[in-house]
Amino acid sequence: MSKLHMRRRAVLAAAPMLIAAPHIARAQGKPEKSKVVLAVGGKSALYYLSLTIAESKGFFKEAGLDVEINDFQGGAKSLEALMGGSADVVAGAYEHTIRMQQRGQAIKGFALIGRGMQLAIGVRSDLADKVKGPADIKGMKFGVTAPGSQTQMLVTYWAAKGGLKATDIVAIGVGAGASVVAAIENKSVDGISQADPALTILQEKKLIKILVDTRTMKGNQELFGGSMPAACLYAQPALLTKTPNTAQALATAIVRADQWLQTASPAEVAASVPTGYLLGDKAIYERAFSNVRETISPDGVMPADGPANCLKFLADGDPKIQPAKIKLAETWTNEFAERARKRS
């Protein structure tokens, strides 16, 4: 049996039976913690749109929460804030729950924002003729939100398909939004792994050629074989067990935002985010939202195939990940999102 086949079997064996997980029946009461510090990396990206909508539409306040949002350069930095104790909860990539379990530290996701990765890899247009496949990016510099974030992991995953190691490419943290556009315009990077609206802006300016695209569910199906959980709310387990009403309030606000985004017009969305998030072009922002809308979770609930697909993605790109040792059921609970969905 090949190593690849063995790894795939291990991933499947580690897949959780989310629907069979114990459900704790609780009546939602007043949040135990009314003031919550939330960390996020690159909030202006459409990747985190549900978070921004929950804030701007007052969904957090209506759930009884005063949420202080600290925006870092990338997801790895927001994870550090959680583990260091300066944040109560993170809006970040689900995959961090798996990576931290591999390191012996438990964190758990409980409200999904993205059911598709919503990222894309592109190279500068003046270099596009040199890149026919992943093997051709050896030695190139890629602008990611921050080293260690999902944007870097996507490049590493794709590079591995071309026989390259993570060290064969250079990841440079460029944040999100306007700084991404600037990094390509001034040629400080050869390519990017990023989220919208920066991607669409660079495409419209014909400054990049997209090589890998997960901004549609079709793209996720082609690359990962199904859904790929992206941004979510995750926290250390104590938040969920010791302050369940607080966790429920957070999940309720995100689920309401997810649901609002399913029917909101692009113009309504653009009017609901800070002007700076539009990067100077409201029309492009609206088109970018339309392009990624289907990858936004409709209800905050983790798709059944999501955790296993994410684990396979990580294992294929990082030999340190050992699927057989990962307990996916401990990285996620649908309890809070399911309750929020039923009450909406």
Side-chain angles (χ1 to χ4, degrees):
M1 184 181 297
S2 69
K3 290 184 178 180
L4 178 59
H5 186 60
M6 291 176 66
R7 173 171 284 183
R8 285 177 175 170
R9 287 189 62 180
V11 169
L12 292 173
M17 295 298 291
L18 291 175
I19 58 173
H23 184 88
I24 303 172
R26 298 190 186 101
Q28 184 179 354
K30 183 178 179 181
E32 300 88 353
K33 290 168 59 73
S34 59
K35 176 65 181 293
V36 174
V37 179
L38 184 150
V40 61
K43 180 171 173 280
S44 63
L46 287 170
Y47 188 88
Y48 294 115
L49 183 57
S50 295
L51 171 64
T52 296
I53 293 302
E55 178 187 33
S56 68
K57 291 292 180 183
F59 296 158
F60 285 127
K61 289 184 179 179
E62 290 175 16
L65 297 174
D66 174 14
V67 179
E68 175 188 324
I69 299 177
N70 294 331
D71 192 8
F72 295 89
Q73 186 183 40
K77 297 295 183 182
S78 52
L79 173 61
E80 288 177 11
L82 177 72
M83 303 312 293
S86 61
D88 301 301
V89 62
V90 169
Y94 161 73
E95 68 181 46
H96 288 299
T97 66
I98 297 175
R99 286 192 174 277
M100 293 305 287
Q101 188 184 111
Q102 181 74 49
R103 300 173 190 171
Q105 295 178 287
I107 56 176
K108 180 172 283 192
F110 61 99
L112 194 64
I113 292 173
R115 60 176 178 169
M117 187 176 276
Q118 301 180 12
L119 305 178
I121 298 172
V123 295
R124 291 201 329 255
S125 295
D126 58 310
L127 300 174
D129 289 343
K130 299 178 181 178
V131 182
K132 307 300 182 185
D136 300 324
I137 65 172
K138 185 174 183 178
M140 284 189 168
K141 296 180 290 186
F142 279 84
V144 301
T145 53
S149 298
Q150 190 176 59
T151 48
Q152 180 184 356
M153 294 170 195
L154 178 59
V155 178
T156 301
Y157 174 79
W158 192 57
K161 289 181 174 294
L164 303 183
K165 302 186 295 293
T167 53
D168 288 328
I169 53 177
V170 180
I172 300 174
V174 297
S179 56
V180 178
V181 177
I184 288 292
E185 288 180 331
N186 63 30
K187 298 186 177 182
S188 60
V189 296
D190 302 311
I192 56 169
S193 176
Q194 287 286 340
D196 263 322
L199 291 165
T200 298
I201 289 174
L202 289 168
Q203 281 182 282
E204 298 250 346
K205 291 185 174 184
K206 301 188 185 306
L207 291 174
I208 60 170
K209 177 183 178 182
I210 297 294
L211 304 173
V212 176
D213 200 341
T214 67
R215 291 174 293 175
T216 65
M217 291 311 294
K218 180 176 182 289
N220 283 271
Q221 178 69 41
E222 291 173 350
L223 192 62
F224 307 118
S227 63
M228 174 56 68
C232 69
L233 293 189
Y234 66 70
Q236 296 191 57
L239 179 81
L240 310 184
T241 57
K242 295 182 179 180
T243 57
N245 293 339
T246 302
Q248 186 62 62
L250 286 164
T252 296
I254 291 298
V255 170
R256 286 188 65 190
D258 286 345
Q259 293 172 331
W260 185 85
L261 287 166
Q262 300 306 305
T263 57
S265 70
E268 287 175 322
V269 173
S272 301
V273 304
T275 303
Y277 288 15
L278 306 179
L279 300 185
D281 197 317
K282 180 173 176 286
I284 289 182
Y285 185 91
E286 291 178 6
R287 287 198 291 277
F289 165 68
S290 295
N291 290 339
V292 305
R293 187 206 293 263
E294 68 175 1
T295 60
I296 297 171
S297 171
D299 52 17
V301 174
M302 175 68 75
D305 65 340
N309 284 342
C310 187
L311 178 56
K312 181 181 181 302
F313 160 70
L314 293 178
D316 285 352
D318 185 352
K320 294 179 183 178
I321 299 294
Q322 302 177 56
K325 296 183 178 181
I326 298 296
K327 298 178 181 178
L328 287 176
E330 296 179 6
T331 67
W332 187 268
T333 176
N334 271 333
E335 173 191 350
F336 300 96
E338 288 277 16
R339 188 178 294 116
R341 180 175 66 171
K342 291 175 181 176
R343 291 181 176 179
S344 61

